[in-house]
């Protein structure tokens, strides 16, 4: 998902690396630490310098904070952003500070990029540490990370430059889902059972009950498509989450992937004329100029690379789940992709598999679209004896039992759909985040762009203050949730306000000159009472 409102900087001004601190302990073998590096054409010596400095900073900061991992080091010319993805597996982003671009970074927004790409990687391939345990040379991991992160970064690319989130994206929150909020009058939450959550935001109070019943009926049908085996489902409408039977973390991962590559908007945008050509070999072996291959071909979504094990004869397959233009809609409404398998013996399989973090299950992913409704059905791999025989049966059960319900649900949602400005509240520009459920809602992007630059810069600074305060509170006591309110008066006389209460956060910009702090506080209370059930009211 490209960030049109972000600052564009040369791609070589951003360095992103993944390294394993347990590898390359002997002198002369330091290169073994590096699992991924961007840009790959950077000389090997410079790559080792970045990794060595990062490892030194991690070790040094442990002296002062042994119980908390290093998150950021601000230098005069660079910002170093750290994320400990797994034990001894670190992801580091180094961004040049360029005042001419006026690119004011919010560090937590940059860390969210690292978190997101790692979470998606695990969903498709499992943990990096587990892969290294199965193939100690690191060749397989390097090849997968290179293809995966390169495809991920392409969404941020504009020619030879990258677009990273800046102050203009301060009213956005990565790592959350956007729920369907056709209207604001009613919000209904349904709990299917103790391990399954289905959320629905409805438009009309009088019809919300009928809509909920229709949704519950559809979910029951979806989850019974594989007979006695319980499936999981996720339903989207216009890139908004309608319902999910997954835990929040897994919901975020699958929702993120669906909106990136599988939703109607993602499929229609695949026809754009962006060039995605990387010429040359994709060999995963180490070279004198680069730890990772410098190029790949867009015409091949699965790349065979030679293993760097002593035998040198084994070959493995690299699946490219983030590569664009690989999903399309079939005649029966099911989305299809090209060959998808990590097993060279079953290359004809076209059914993707994903790993659920919370339940530790491997699931087949089947997706169906009817107009603006996208339904993702997850089927346990252990319940399928033959993909070629059993999956078509499940799809047929889906079409026979769920088609009419999907049709009626789409009609109902479309009638109440308020369009892209459904979230707009006149006079307010806001961001609402529910950290417990990983859900966010914000003013439409088109409305946010009407804010003055001074307002957005102030909001970015305010969010940095809140991020810092949250980190301090977490260090003090992870179980303690403290209420927090911060107000900033911007240079253009706008009020920028943040309130964090009981795991939820509300950020707001009020652009009216000469408003008093009391007026701004009362305006936030009114918003809280009307649209948030009073969750942020101080009374």
């Amino acid at each position: 998902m490209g960030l049109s409102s972000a600052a564009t900087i040369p791609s070589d001004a951003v360095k992103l690396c993944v390294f394993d601190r347990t590898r390359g302990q002997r002198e002369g073998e330091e290169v073994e630490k590096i699992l991924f590096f961007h840009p790959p054409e950077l000389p090997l010596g410079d790559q080792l310098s970045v990794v060595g400095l990062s490892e030194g900073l991690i070790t040094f900061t442990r002296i002062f904070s042994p119980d908390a991992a290093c998150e950021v080091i601000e230098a005069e010319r660079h910002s170093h952003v750290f994320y400990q993805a797994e034990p001894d597996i670190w992801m580091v982003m180094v961004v040049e500070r360029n005042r001419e671009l006026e690119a004011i970074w919010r560090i937590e927004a940059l860390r969210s990029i690292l978190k997101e790409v790692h979470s998606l990687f695990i969903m498709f391939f499992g943990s990096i540490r587990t892969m290294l345990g199965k193939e100690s040379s690191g060749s397989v991991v390097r090849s997968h990370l290179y293809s995966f992160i390169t495809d991920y970064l392409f969404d941020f690319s504009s020619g030879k430059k990258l677009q990273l989130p800046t102050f203009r994206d301060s009213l956005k929150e990565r790592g959350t889902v956007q729920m369907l909020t056709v209207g604001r009058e009613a919000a209904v939450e349904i709990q299917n059972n103790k391990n399954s959550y289905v959320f629905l935001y409805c438009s009309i109070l009088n019809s919300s009950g009928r809509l909920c019943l229709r949704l519950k009926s559809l979910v029951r049908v979806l989850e019974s498509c594989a007979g006695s085996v319980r499936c999981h489902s996720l339903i989207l409408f216009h890139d908004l989450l309608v319902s999910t039977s997954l835990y929040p973390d897994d919901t975020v991962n699958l929702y993120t992937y669906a909106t990136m590559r599988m939703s109607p908007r993602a499929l229609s945008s695949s026809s754009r004329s962006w060039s995605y050509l990387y010429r040359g070999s994709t060999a995963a072996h180490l070279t004198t100029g680069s730890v990772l291959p410098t190029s790949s071909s867009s015409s091949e979504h699965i790349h065979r690379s030679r293993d760097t094990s002593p035998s040198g004869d084994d070959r493995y397959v690299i699946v490219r789940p983030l590569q664009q233009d690989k999903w399309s809609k079939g005649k029966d409404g099911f989305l299809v992709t090209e060959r998808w398998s990590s097993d060279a013996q079953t290359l004809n399989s076209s059914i993707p598999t994903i790993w659920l973090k919370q339940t530790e299950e491997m699931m087949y992913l089947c997706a169906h679209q009817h107009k603006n409704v996208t339904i993702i059905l997850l089927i346990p791999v252990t319940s399928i004896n033959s993909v070629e025989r059993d999956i078509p049966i499940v799809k047929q059960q889906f079409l026979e039992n769920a088609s009419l319900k999907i049709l009626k649900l789409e009609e109902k949602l479309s009638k109440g759909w308020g369009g892209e400005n459904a979230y707009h509240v006149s006079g307010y520009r806001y961001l609402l985040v529910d950290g417990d459920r990983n859900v966010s809602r914000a003013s439409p992007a088109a409305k946010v762009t009407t804010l003055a630059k001074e307002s957005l810069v102030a909001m970015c600074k305010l969010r940095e203050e809140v991020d810092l305060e949250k980190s301090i509170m977490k260090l003090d006591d992870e179980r303690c949730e403290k209420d927090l309110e911060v107000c900033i008066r911007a240079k253009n006389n706008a009020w920028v306000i943040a309130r964090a209460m009981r795991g939820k956060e509300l950020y707001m910009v009020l652009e009216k000159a000469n408003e008093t702090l009391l007026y701004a506080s009362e305006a936030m209370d009114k918003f809280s009472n009307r649209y948030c059930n009073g969750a942020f009211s101080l009374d």
Side-chain angles (χ1 to χ4, degrees), residues 459-513:
M459 174 57 73
C460 186
K461 293 179 178 179
L462 180 143
R463 294 203 64 185
E464 284 185 327
E465 290 188 26
V466 174
D467 292 338
L468 178 60
E469 188 65 26
K470 286 164 56 180
S471 297
I472 294 174
M473 288 190 293
K474 185 177 180 180
L475 287 175
D476 291 341
D477 188 351
E478 290 189 358
R479 298 167 297 178
C480 180
E481 291 185 356
K482 298 179 181 179
D483 293 345
L484 174 68
E485 181 178 26
V486 183
C487 303
I488 293 180
R489 187 66 159 171
K491 292 181 179 180
N492 60 334
N493 289 326
W495 281 107
V496 183
I497 310 173
R499 285 184 186 173
M501 295 182 174
R502 297 175 289 277
K504 298 178 176 63
E505 301 168 35
L506 178 61
Y507 300 92
M508 187 169 292
V509 177
L510 299 171
E511 276 194 345
K512 288 186 178 179

Side-chain angles (χ1 to χ4, degrees), residues 16 68-73 80-85 90-93 95 105-119 152 164-165 173-175 467 471 474:
L16 195 159
C70 179
E71 294 184 354
V72 58
I73 297 292
H80 300 253
V81 184
F82 298 84
Y83 174 55
Q84 187 175 5
W90 286 80
M91 304 179 72
V92 180
M93 182 186 295
V95 184
W105 316 110
R106 186 169 69 87
I107 296 303
E108 194 57 34
L110 298 181
R111 291 187 77 240
S112 294
I113 292 176
L114 302 180
K115 293 178 182 178
E116 183 173 89
V117 68
H118 177 255
S119 294
Y152 178 85
L164 294 180
E173 185 69 8
R174 301 187 79 88
D467 292 338
S471 297
K474 185 177 180 180

